[in-house]
Amino acid sequence: MRLVLLGPPGAGKGTQAERLVAHYNIVPLSTGDLLRVAVAAGSPLGLKVKDIMARGELVPDDLVVALIAERIDAPEAKNGFILDGFPRTVKQAEALDRLLSERGLKLDAVVELKVDENILVDRIEKRIKDTKAKGHTVRADDDPAVLKQRIAHYRKQTAPLSDYYRRKGSLWPWMACRASTRSRRTSNGRSPSAFRWEVDGWRAVS
């Protein structure tokens, strides 16, 4: 099972990824984790990443794709993987397509978590209130203004991926449905090789 999770910050991608990883026994591929592991390992690729991050620059797409390629090729990924945080742009999605194609692989599904943006902001505000009430320190990223900026960035940079994967319906049948692991079939009776799900980010994928 090879999956991509899409959704705005705070939509619950991490929660759903944990459940899917456990259910399908697949490898979680978070780009942030991959970068940290590569740097810690001190591999040639990790050293390149470390220097770039030390300069405060964004890690180029080709290096991120190379990191993903390493994990996909690892024995523990034989059952598949779930990508969270990549691709973030259409350009990255195209790079991912090429990477998989070179290995004779393709995605089984792209899952988009749909959550009302106002609810995301309300949840942050509630979490801040609860944290302060308990006398704890509020996390730096628990800031409604910061979340709104991240959502705006997602809407501009990453949201177009929804249309990108929808357009691939000319090659991969697309259908919007509730979260489900049941087999789906197209109008011609064939099982789709991949499709795009729209699910409620507040519910577990079962």
Side-chain angles (χ1 to χ4, degrees):
M1 180 66 71
R2 291 175 290 274
L3 306 171
V4 166
L5 281 185
L6 297 179
K13 295 189 295 298
T15 299
Q16 303 298 351
E18 289 178 4
R19 292 184 169 95
L20 288 165
V21 164
H23 184 79
Y24 289 108
N25 189 29
I26 55 181
V27 173
L29 297 182
S30 165
T31 50
D33 291 342
L34 288 176
L35 292 172
R36 285 187 287 271
V37 170
V39 171
S43 64
L45 191 55
L47 292 176
K48 288 183 180 180
V49 170
K50 182 178 181 179
D51 290 341
I52 293 170
M53 295 174 67
R55 296 194 298 269
E57 301 173 1
L58 292 176
V59 179
D61 288 351
D62 60 336
L63 291 184
V64 176
V65 171
L67 288 172
I68 292 173
E70 284 187 350
R71 290 292 285 139
I72 289 176
D73 293 338
E76 58 267 29
K78 64 180 181 179
N79 289 332
F81 57 84
I82 182 167
L83 276 164
D84 173 11
F86 188 93
R88 293 182 182 273
T89 66
V90 170
K91 182 179 178 181
Q92 290 179 351
E94 292 171 342
L96 177 62
D97 287 345
R98 289 192 295 272
L99 167 65
L100 295 177
S101 178
E102 290 168 358
R103 288 159 174 74
L105 304 174
K106 50 191 171 185
L107 295 173
D108 290 296
V110 176
V111 183
E112 181 175 24
L113 276 62
K114 308 287 284 186
V115 181
D116 187 286
E117 294 178 4
N118 292 324
I119 294 177
L120 297 178
V121 175
D122 289 344
R123 186 172 72 166
I124 287 290
E125 292 176 340
K126 182 179 184 301
R127 188 157 64 193
I128 292 173
K129 183 178 179 180
D130 292 344
T131 300
K132 289 181 176 179
K134 295 176 182 177
H136 297 163
T137 301
V138 176
R139 286 169 31 184
D141 57 346
D142 275 354
D143 184 325
V146 172
L147 177 62
K148 289 177 181 178
Q149 289 178 347
R150 292 176 63 200
I151 290 175
H153 185 71
Y154 173 86
R155 194 184 303 122
K156 178 180 179 180
Q157 184 183 54
T158 308
L161 283 174
S162 181
D163 288 335
Y164 173 81
Y165 283 113
R166 183 182 291 114
R167 287 195 301 271
K168 291 185 77 69
S170 60
L171 299 176
W172 295 345
W174 170 82
M175 56 191 70
C177 60
R178 304 301 297 177
S180 173
T181 57
R182 291 175 300 178
S183 174
R184 312 289 294 195
R185 291 187 177 274
T186 61
S187 58
N188 63 10
R190 296 177 181 176
S191 296
S193 56
F195 46 90
R196 174 180 166 276
W197 282 332
E198 291 185 1
V199 305
D200 184 344
W202 302 102
R203 297 184 180 183
V205 173
S206 58

